[in-house]
Amino acid sequence: MPADLNGYWKMISNDNFEEYLKALDVNVAIRKIATLLKPDKDIVHDGDHIIIKTLSTFKNYNMDFYVGKEFEEDLSGVDDRKCMTTITWEGDKLVCVQKGEIEGRGWTHWVDGDELHLELRAAGVVCKQIFKKT
């Protein structure tokens, strides 16, 4: 049974984020700003339709998708790339695979108690973020 991701989540930890941004070839100025941010996640989860809003004082990023359906993702708000993205459930984890210029790019979301975990992957680098439900 897939996890219920609905809710508003505040970041409480962000490990190895700058290395992840380097793996995405994000320029140093943007990396320095991004590592200072503590973005929130606002998630609406209705069956196979999920909207994940990543909200910060610098940039917001909205992801609106249907689980299991590949789509072209415009990452201009992140690293100015486009990729073909597929998101599926693997048990109670939501797993994203982003096919494009960066090998091994994607992420995994899962819930543990009142915490939302996010593992970001790119070019062998892993960043781990944890959010607390408000």
Side-chain angles (χ1 to χ4, degrees):
M1 179 77 170
D4 179 6
L5 302 175
N6 277 301
Y8 197 87
W9 308 83
K10 291 196 152 297
M11 180 180 275
I12 58 172
S13 71
N14 190 6
D15 297 326
N16 210 34
F17 190 54
E18 187 164 9
E19 291 304 312
Y20 169 74
L21 294 175
K22 283 181 187 176
L24 293 178
D25 200 27
V26 172
N27 79 56
V28 68
I30 299 296
R31 282 199 321 262
K32 294 301 177 190
I33 293 167
T35 56
L36 297 174
L37 300 174
K38 285 190 159 259
D40 296 340
K41 297 271 185 189
D42 187 8
I43 302 177
V44 177
H45 176 184
D46 183 15
D48 283 342
H49 183 218
I50 300 176
I51 301 169
I52 301 174
K53 295 178 182 175
T54 304
L55 310 168
S56 76
T57 54
F58 181 60
K59 281 187 181 180
N60 295 333
Y61 182 69
N62 295 335
M63 191 173 198
D64 186 334
F65 60 91
Y66 288 87
V67 175
K69 294 186 180 176
E70 186 177 55
F71 63 97
E72 183 178 62
E73 185 177 4
D74 182 352
L75 294 158
S76 56
V78 181
D79 65 343
D80 297 324
R81 290 186 172 92
K82 289 186 179 180
C83 61
M84 294 309 293
T85 299
T86 305
I87 301 164
T88 57
W89 287 108
E90 291 184 13
D92 61 353
K93 294 184 177 185
L94 192 62
V95 178
C96 172
V97 174
Q98 297 165 313
K99 296 177 189 164
E101 298 172 41
I102 306 292
E103 193 65 34
R105 184 174 186 171
W107 50 259
T108 302
H109 264 303
W110 70 95
V111 175
D112 185 6
D114 64 348
E115 292 180 344
L116 174 72
H117 292 256
L118 174 59
E119 181 181 277
L120 299 160
R121 299 176 299 277
V125 175
V126 177
C127 166
K128 294 184 179 182
Q129 299 178 340
I130 301 175
F131 301 80
K132 191 116 175 141
K133 194 167 197 173
T134 60

